[in-house]
Amino acid sequence: MPRPRKRDYETLRRELIDAGGRLLAEEGPAALSTRRVAQATGTSTTAVYNLFGDKAGLVREMFLEGFDRLTAAFAAVPRTGDPAADLLALGDAYRANARDNPHLYELMFGRPVPEFRPDAEAGRRIQPTFDALIAACARCVEAGAFAPAEPYAIAVQLNAMAHGLASLELRGALGDVEEADAHWKRAYASLFKGLA
Amino acid sequence: MPRPRKRDYETLRRELIDAGGRLLAEEGPAALSTRRVAQATGTSTTAVYNLFGDKAGLVREMFLEGFDRLTAAFAAVPRTGDPAADLLALGDAYRANARDNPHLYELMFGRPVPEFRPDAEAGRRIQPTFDALIAACARCVEAGAFAPAEPYAIAVQLNAMAHGLASLELRGALGDVEEADAHWKRAYASLFKGLA
DNA sequence: GTGGTTACATAACAGTGTTACTAAACCAAG
DNA sequence: CTTGGTTTAGTAACACTGTTATGTAACCAC
């Protein structure tokens, strides 16, 4: 007869992920030690290994959650009668996500945690985020805002531009907020013109 | 009368930076421990602290060297009578640099080494790389290939696009080489059209 | 009480960046 | 020659890391 569990595993798992998210947001990736995460949830590091396999498993969940949030932010963008404006709004949502969660953004698109590297399965799991962008591009093509082209190919361009701009902005390379605003506006205008 | 030095400091400094570069290229950022770098140069970790202040100081030199190389790659791009083609060639050089040195690229544009974060001085030191891009954009404006606009503002767009594409490509998100070629080609075509 | 099982925390291990410490190597002065 | 002073260099020590090993706890069945 096994020893009873002190805590519900689902709840503990949730708390560990949340604790990791808080530490990451407040202090950056260097704060993500198994000891600190475990301590923040009143348990021991063994829980990380039992519930996630290892530290990378925990960080993987945080990575996936970052994309879930981005997907949700995209889904929250209202669908108007103007597909081009909707696509711009997606870009705004992407930028806001990066600015509001710089450390999580780096975790999603960079390699700040040495132990973690996304696997192919994780890549598949984040596809919905990109799919939302592809769908928005398809609507622009259908509405005639963009010249006929494969929505996927267009989405790559938009994705690259947004990621490049967000990365530059997070590094402080785009100047103050107003200057950064202007850069985003110009870049999207150029690219939209080029895609028309 | 001080004890004589066993090694010339300039030479040792150079060797430590080179050793770091080799370890980074061959095994990635996780191999960049002070002990391994010191061992590879037949000295002890104290040398890292004496010559660079700390590990971050060594990594900072590698970061700067990465940009020196990129600047050199840009300088090696021949200046033709076609400024737009020259700008494309700069993009190719940027991409080649990223593909040939993926770990160094991540060090230059990401945060793979937790101890190191570029300071403002480092930011100034890498300005020449960006200046080359700005100059190439200026030539496109002067030649009428691009509509009149601040070369700096154009350079930001090109930089963002190139960085986004390179990052996606290094992550395996652009498919095989031919597919990636096509994505780069399309993205630059769209942006150039938009800037015309 | 013993055995078996799961659950959990702690100890132990090997590695990390960094600082502290000790010895080495040399010349000057007495 | 000895002592003192200085720089140089390597190693020891420290606190931290991810991870595995270990020991104890908690429960029921026999």
Side-chain angles (χ1 to χ4, degrees), chain B residues 12-162:
Chain B
L12 180 55
R13 187 180 161 88
R14 180 73 259 162
E15 289 181 11
L16 285 166
I17 296 172
D18 288 346
R22 278 195 305 275
L23 284 170
L24 178 66
E26 288 162 15
E27 301 178 40
L32 276 184
S33 73
T34 52
R35 287 174 171 85
R36 290 205 55 188
V37 174
Q39 184 182 52
T41 49
T43 187
S44 70
T45 61
T46 317
V48 173
Y49 297 93
N50 287 338
L51 295 174
F52 302 99
D54 56 11
K55 176 179 174 179
L58 168 60
V59 175
R60 183 175 179 278
E61 291 304 317
M62 294 165 61
F63 168 90
L64 293 176
E65 184 161 289
F67 278 96
D68 287 344
R69 288 197 199 168
L70 184 54
T71 304
F74 281 177
V77 171
R79 177 120 34 125
T80 70
D82 183 348
D86 291 357
L87 196 53
L88 261 182
L90 281 191
D92 288 339
Y94 185 89
R95 180 188 178 197
N97 179 67
R99 294 180 53 191
D100 294 343
N101 311 282
H103 293 304
L104 185 56
Y105 183 80
E106 182 63 36
L107 178 59
M108 287 158 70
F109 297 103
R111 297 280 183 276
V113 178
E115 294 83 14
F116 172 66
R117 181 185 189 85
D119 53 352
E121 169 60 24
R124 279 190 288 275
R125 289 276 298 279
I126 66 178
Q127 187 64 26
T129 312
F130 194 51
D131 288 342
L133 180 60
I134 295 172
C137 293
R139 290 197 291 275
C140 286
V141 173
E142 284 157 25
F146 289 170
E150 192 66 47
Y152 164 71
I154 298 176
V156 166
Q157 295 176 52
L158 268 297
N159 188 8
M161 181 63 87

Side-chain angles (χ1 to χ4, degrees), chain A residues 21-187:
Chain A
R22 277 196 306 276
L23 283 169
L24 178 66
E26 287 163 15
E27 301 176 40
L32 276 184
S33 73
T34 52
R35 287 177 171 85
R36 289 203 59 185
V37 175
Q39 183 181 51
T41 49
T43 186
S44 69
T45 61
T46 316
V48 174
Y49 297 93
N50 287 338
L51 294 174
F52 302 99
D54 57 12
K55 177 180 173 179
L58 168 61
V59 176
R60 183 175 180 277
E61 291 304 318
M62 294 164 62
F63 167 91
L64 293 176
E65 184 160 289
F67 278 96
D68 287 344
R69 288 199 199 165
L70 184 55
T71 304
F74 281 176
V77 172
R79 178 122 32 128
T80 73
D82 184 349
D86 292 354
L87 196 52
L88 260 182
L90 283 190
D92 288 338
Y94 184 89
R95 180 189 179 196
N97 178 68
R99 294 181 54 193
D100 293 343
N101 312 283
H103 293 303
L104 185 56
Y105 183 80
E106 182 63 37
L107 178 60
M108 289 156 71
F109 298 104
R111 296 281 183 275
V113 178
E115 294 83 13
F116 174 66
R117 181 184 191 86
D119 53 354
E121 170 59 23
R124 278 189 288 275
R125 288 276 297 281
I126 65 178
Q127 188 63 29
T129 311
F130 194 52
D131 288 341
L133 180 60
I134 295 172
C137 293
R139 290 196 291 274
C140 287
V141 172
E142 285 156 22
F146 289 170
E150 191 65 46
Y152 165 72
I154 297 175
V156 166
Q157 296 176 51
L158 268 296
N159 188 7
M161 181 62 88
H163 177 56
L165 289 171
S167 300
L168 284 168
E169 185 170 3
L170 290 193
R171 262 199 265 137
L174 295 188
D176 62 26
V177 177
E178 286 188 6
E179 291 173 274
D181 285 348
H183 283 298
W184 278 84
K185 197 182 186 77
R186 275 194 292 257

